[in-house]
């Protein structure tokens, strides 16, 4: 998938192929998408298969907010919010999400997202029913920092098929930057709501019904032992493991034996 350039009005690219970003692009595409791009670039030659896709940039999110004139209204909702007042937090979060969900994506951003989606569908052969099924994932620019973790605070949408459904899922991803838990976490940890941007990752869905999926940790999560890898896996979607909907198989691997 080729690099997507910016425009005269928006010199920063709004959409980038995952293969064009790496771990140094966290400020542009968030921790999750930067890590996915790094894996595609560095591990593909070693036989690690990462589903291809593309990401909207932090510039795209800020363009969406500016073009819809949402900044001032969001400031009004969040600037003086008491994070310890649960009722006020829920009301502000619901109002903020409603603002983003009711706004239209800028036309140039829509065009670039749909163009990248069509290229992705074409690069993977004919899609079932003529429409490629994708995962639409949130990746915040403050994600996976040494002193904070925003993972799981924004939303992911699976099995999204078709252009209208893709654009709707993108709006829902942007709106999920203002889930109650995300607002509360930023307030408690001293992050400015308006310094954090959200990147959307769009990846081709894989046939989870034909294999297992799960979660891998690079250390033992209970003890912090660094010479172990913890794998949890089950048949079907990894989302089932993440949400605790199933009791997965667990594998503890001693790293030195891999050498």
């Amino acid at each position: 998938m080729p690099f997507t350039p910016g425009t005269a009005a928006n010199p920063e690219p709004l959409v980038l192929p995952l293969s064009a970003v790496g771990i140094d692009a966290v400020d542009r595409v968030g921790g999750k998408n930067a890590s996915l791009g790094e894996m595609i670039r560095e591990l593909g030659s070693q036989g690690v298969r990462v589903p291809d896709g593309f990401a909207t940039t932090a510039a795209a999110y800020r363009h969406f907010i500016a073009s819809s004139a949402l900044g001032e209204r969001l400031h009004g909702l969040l600037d003086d919010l008491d994070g310890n007042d649960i009722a006020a937090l829920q009301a502000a979060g619901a109002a903020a999400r409603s603002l983003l969900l009711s706004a239209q994506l800028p036309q140039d951003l829509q065009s670039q997202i749909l163009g990248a989606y069509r290229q992705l569908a074409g690069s993977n052969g004919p899609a079932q029913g003529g429409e490629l099924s994708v995962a639409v994932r949130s990746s915040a620019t403050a994600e996976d920092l040494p002193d904070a973790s925003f993972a799981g605070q924004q939303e992911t949408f699976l099995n999204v098929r078709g252009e209208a459904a893709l654009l709707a899922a993108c709006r829902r991803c942007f709106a999920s930057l203002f889930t109650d838990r995300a607002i509360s976490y930023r307030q408690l940890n001293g992050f400015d709501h308006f310094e954090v941007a959200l990147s959307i990752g769009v990846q081709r869905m894989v046939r989870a019904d034909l294999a297992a999926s799960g979660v891998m940790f690079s250390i033992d999560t209970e003890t912090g032992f660094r010479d172990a890898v913890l794998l949890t896996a089950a048949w079907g979607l990894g989302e089932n493991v993440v949400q605790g909907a199933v009791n997965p198989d667990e594998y503890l691997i001693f790293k030195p034996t891999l050498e």
Side-chain angles (χ1 to χ4, degrees), residues 78-246:
L78 300 173
D79 282 353
D80 298 318
L81 179 64
D82 180 359
N84 294 315
D85 185 336
I86 301 301
L89 173 66
Q90 292 175 334
R97 294 190 297 274
S98 179
L99 285 176
L100 272 68
L101 289 171
S102 61
Q104 289 296 314
L105 297 176
Q107 191 59 49
D108 53 351
L109 178 56
Q110 288 192 46
S111 297
Q112 291 193 33
I113 289 172
L114 295 181
Y117 176 65
R118 292 163 188 159
Q119 289 179 20
L120 184 62
S123 68
N124 287 283
Q128 183 178 356
E131 295 179 331
L132 181 68
S133 184
V134 293
V136 182
R137 313 179 68 188
S138 301
S139 179
T141 57
E143 208 166 63
D144 301 329
L145 300 177
D147 56 350
S149 176
F150 286 76
Q153 294 189 26
Q154 287 77 225
E155 302 292 349
T156 287
F157 305 98
L158 303 179
N159 295 304
V160 176
R161 180 180 294 174
E163 296 184 356
L166 172 60
L167 294 178
C170 286
R171 286 202 310 275
R172 293 166 69 189
C173 274
F174 280 147
S176 74
L177 190 60
F178 298 99
T179 60
D180 297 351
R181 60 184 179 269
I183 294 172
S184 177
Y185 189 83
R186 288 195 295 267
Q187 298 232 153
L188 290 173
N189 289 276
F191 286 89
D192 187 330
H193 297 297
F194 302 97
E195 289 298 319
V196 178
L198 191 126
S199 166
I200 300 167
V202 178
Q203 286 182 283
R204 180 173 56 88
M205 284 292 299
V206 296
R207 289 289 301 276
D209 60 320
L210 298 180
S213 56
V215 180
M216 179 176 74
F217 298 94
S218 58
I219 64 173
D220 182 353
T221 55
E222 292 190 5
T223 66
F225 183 53
R226 293 187 173 275
D227 280 343
V229 173
L230 176 64
L231 289 173
T232 58
W235 290 107
L237 294 171
E239 190 79 359
N240 293 329
V241 178
V242 174
Q243 293 180 350
V246 297

Side-chain angles (χ1 to χ4, degrees), residues 14 16-17 26 29 35 46 67 82 89 92-94 101 117 135 148 151 161-162:
L14 302 180
L16 292 171
V26 172
V29 295
S35 296
Q46 300 182 43
S67 67
D82 180 359
L89 173 66
L101 289 171
Y117 176 65
R161 180 180 294 174

Side-chain angles (χ1 to χ4, degrees), residues 42-83:
E42 299 299 325
L43 300 180
S45 61
Q46 300 182 43
V48 178
R49 298 171 63 191
V50 180
D52 196 11
F54 59 91
T56 66
T57 62
Y61 168 77
R62 295 188 173 106
H63 177 41
F64 169 53
I65 296 298
S67 67
S68 303
L70 297 178
E72 186 175 343
R73 285 182 282 178
L74 289 171
H75 274 287
L77 291 169
L78 300 173
D79 282 353
D80 298 318
L81 179 64
D82 180 359

